[in-house]
Amino acid sequence: MTIKRVGILGAGKVGIVLAGLALKAGYEVRISGSGSVDKIDLTISTLVPGAIASENAEVVANSDIIILAIPLSRYKNIDPTLLKGKLVIDAMNYWWETDGIREEVLDPTLTSSEQVQNYFKDSTIVKTFNHMGYHNLQEEALPKGDPKRKALFVTGDNHAAVDEVTKFVDSMGFDQVVHYKLTDGIMTEPGSPLFGASLKYQELKQIIDNFDHTDFGRKISSTLN
């Protein structure tokens, strides 16, 4: 698979930043918001000139990879058949200020990405872009080999999909710490020391490895519930 066209569902802060990074990396970018195209067109043309404001269906139909950058509580507003067969990046997190009561949004027995994968059962979900703040994503993307380059965690159950997303993350300006287990995404969500952290590869890898050794991911899951 060669990724040339990037689709972003969500025209908030994270979606806008990722659209800008993708344009800079040379991708064709389409982005949709919660309202009509007319509602977001001026915002898109002003903040990320070159990106194409579109409806969800048009974004998906004309993209090789989809990024979910909407509030987590709204992912079920998307018809799961719309993303059938698509490689999808889950960049979402539960956040009480926008999502409300956690138990009304998430099953406490599963991580959020597991639930996203279960809902979009005919899509392939990979978790990344969720633990670094949007300001850091925007300001700290650097070319490969730069000693100041930061790293992102990339994980999912499908090895080929994770490897493809890893290359995509690299092109967007970040090193990658890679796992092949979607449930490990919990280690970078709110409640974890990694959430909001902007770290280089070795720093991020060391903390992630320590989480693995202590099964900290599941402990975080229980504390969030």
Side-chain angles (χ1 to χ4, degrees):
M1 177 182 180
T2 300
I3 296 172
K4 295 182 178 180
R5 305 171 302 166
V6 176
I8 301 173
L9 303 186
K13 294 172 181 176
V14 174
I16 292 293
V17 167
L18 293 177
L21 292 177
L23 284 169
K24 187 177 180 180
Y27 296 104
E28 180 182 297
V29 178
R30 285 178 171 79
I31 184 169
S32 62
S34 57
S36 66
V37 173
D38 291 340
K39 183 178 178 180
I40 68 167
D41 189 46
L42 179 59
T43 299
I44 299 305
S45 61
T46 301
L47 297 179
V48 278
I52 304 167
S54 307
E55 299 285 356
N56 284 354
E58 185 180 349
V59 169
V60 174
N62 293 281
S63 299
D64 303 312
I65 189 169
I66 301 297
I67 302 175
L68 291 177
I70 59 178
L72 182 63
S73 56
R74 298 179 190 170
Y75 76 88
K76 288 187 177 180
N77 291 347
I78 300 171
D79 183 343
T81 62
L82 182 65
L83 300 183
K84 184 177 180 179
K86 288 290 184 177
L87 173 55
V88 179
I89 291 176
D90 175 10
M92 302 181 294
N93 289 304
Y94 166 77
W95 195 248
W96 68 272
E97 290 182 334
T98 55
D99 295 319
I101 300 172
R102 183 180 176 85
E103 287 74 13
E104 295 179 357
V105 178
L106 295 171
D107 178 344
T109 66
L110 297 172
T111 66
S112 66
S113 287
E114 286 177 283
Q115 293 174 66
V116 172
Q117 178 65 88
N118 288 344
Y119 181 73
F120 296 108
K121 60 184 180 64
D122 295 318
S123 308
T124 303
I125 302 294
V126 177
K127 184 80 165 180
T128 192
F129 291 121
N130 70 299
H131 65 84
M132 190 181 291
Y134 68 90
H135 280 303
N136 297 110
L137 287 169
Q138 185 175 43
E139 297 167 4
E140 297 181 355
L142 291 168
K144 188 172 183 176
D146 191 301
K148 295 181 180 179
R149 201 182 204 213
K150 301 301 177 63
L152 290 169
F153 187 50
V154 183
T155 193
D157 292 332
N158 185 303
H159 284 220
V162 171
D163 291 344
E164 194 64 44
V165 171
T166 297
K167 291 186 287 185
F168 177 68
V169 169
D170 185 47
S171 74
M172 294 279 273
F174 300 93
D175 289 336
Q176 319 87 43
V177 175
V178 180
H179 279 203
Y180 295 100
K181 187 177 181 183
L182 189 61
T183 56
D184 286 351
I186 191 66
M187 297 187 288
T188 58
E189 293 181 2
S192 162
L194 286 176
F195 182 71
S198 177
L199 302 171
K200 296 180 182 178
Y201 173 83
Q202 288 297 341
E203 297 168 318
L204 181 62
K205 186 175 187 303
Q206 182 177 4
I207 296 175
I208 290 290
D209 286 347
N210 286 341
F211 281 169
D212 281 350
H213 297 155
T214 62
D215 197 27
F216 196 71
R218 286 300 181 182
K219 293 179 183 178
I220 287 293
S221 180
S222 64
T223 61
L224 287 175
N225 297 312

